[in-house]
Amino acid sequence: MVRRLLPIAVALLLVTSGCVGLITGETVTFEASPATVSDSTLDSTGYELQNATQTNVTRDVTVAGQDRTVRLVTERRQYTRSGTILGVEVVELSRFIVVSIPSANVAGQTLNPAADWANRRVLEAVQGQTGGVDDVEPAGNRTVQALGADRRVSEYTGTTEVAGQSVDVRLHLVSFQHEGDIVIGVAVHPENVDETDAVDDLLSGLQHSGD
């Protein structure tokens, strides 16, 4: 009797959680809410929104013995500040990228592995978005207030290439769950340009409201 009731209970859970498509065979979409920096924070730090993109990733899952497809919609915002380094005017001297990923969970199955990633694994995943930083090494941690709670920010050092020359850079990384999404923030800037206060302000100025 228990075995007969279990699939029914799972089906009921999916229906009541809005995942009817997993029962009918349709593709179900989990969408993240955008995480953005407030306009007042951008004005005070000198950063500007460079681009806003949306990424779709599909995954196959097995629910109640049936193969189904889910789509995860990720939101990404990149902010930049210009400046001069090595005598060269660089449009993207400092960058701050914030990504929100739906922390989807169906019938106890986590559909987004990033929910369990350590910061180092998150950094590896987003390293392609930081402009090709090499020789990444840990450089400490600090705590910043963001979206209503204290968040641990991990710092790293590394190198990148600017105008054909190697430049030492510093990265700041934070990853946490908020309102049903995973929010990841990463900033990168030259080591000799102290952006720590600006990065903290950007994190404190984050806005996000999950569905």
Side-chain angles (χ1 to χ4, degrees):
M1 184 64 172
V2 173
R3 292 182 179 177
R4 292 179 58 191
L5 288 176
L6 183 58
I8 298 175
V10 172
L12 180 60
L13 172 64
L14 297 177
V15 171
T16 56
S17 63
C19 303
V20 180
L22 290 178
I23 299 299
T24 63
E26 301 170 9
T27 297
V28 174
T29 300
F30 294 90
E31 296 188 40
S33 296
T36 61
V37 178
S38 68
D39 290 339
S40 60
T41 300
L42 295 178
D43 290 340
S44 65
T45 58
Y47 280 72
E48 297 180 349
L49 176 65
Q50 184 188 62
N51 59 59
T53 58
Q54 191 179 80
T55 303
N56 293 277
V57 176
T58 58
R59 296 194 63 188
D60 295 325
V61 299
T62 301
V63 177
Q66 300 295 317
D67 293 332
R68 296 291 183 261
T69 300
V70 298
R71 182 167 67 242
L72 305 177
V73 181
T74 296
E75 295 283 351
R76 177 184 181 275
R77 301 293 183 272
Q78 176 168 301
Y79 302 87
T80 61
R81 187 178 70 79
S82 61
T84 302
I85 186 171
L86 302 176
V88 177
E89 180 70 19
V90 181
V91 176
E92 299 179 17
L93 179 70
S94 303
R95 278 168 291 170
F96 177 71
I97 300 164
V98 58
V99 180
S100 52
I101 312 169
S103 183
N105 188 296
V106 175
Q109 182 176 354
T110 300
L111 305 182
N112 187 355
D116 300 319
W117 284 352
N119 267 2
R120 186 75 187 201
R121 177 67 183 87
V122 174
L123 184 63
E124 291 172 356
V126 302
Q127 198 163 344
Q129 303 182 26
T130 57
V133 178
D134 300 315
D135 305 319
V136 177
E137 296 291 343
N141 302 289
R142 67 183 189 279
T143 300
V144 176
Q145 180 79 196
L147 291 172
D150 288 338
R151 314 294 184 181
R152 188 180 76 168
V153 181
S154 297
E155 295 185 44
Y156 300 87
T157 58
T159 59
T160 192
E161 190 172 293
V162 176
Q165 298 187 52
S166 178
V167 174
D168 293 331
V169 295
R170 181 166 291 262
L171 299 98
H172 310 258
L173 175 69
V174 64
S175 176
F176 56 90
Q177 295 198 44
H178 182 263
E179 296 292 331
D181 292 338
I182 301 163
V183 178
I184 298 171
V186 57
V188 58
H189 59 85
E191 180 72 35
N192 63 356
V193 178
D194 188 1
E195 287 286 282
T196 301
D197 289 344
V199 172
D200 289 354
D201 288 344
L202 292 169
L203 291 172
S204 298
L206 284 177
Q207 301 172 325
H208 173 260
S209 178
D211 294 330

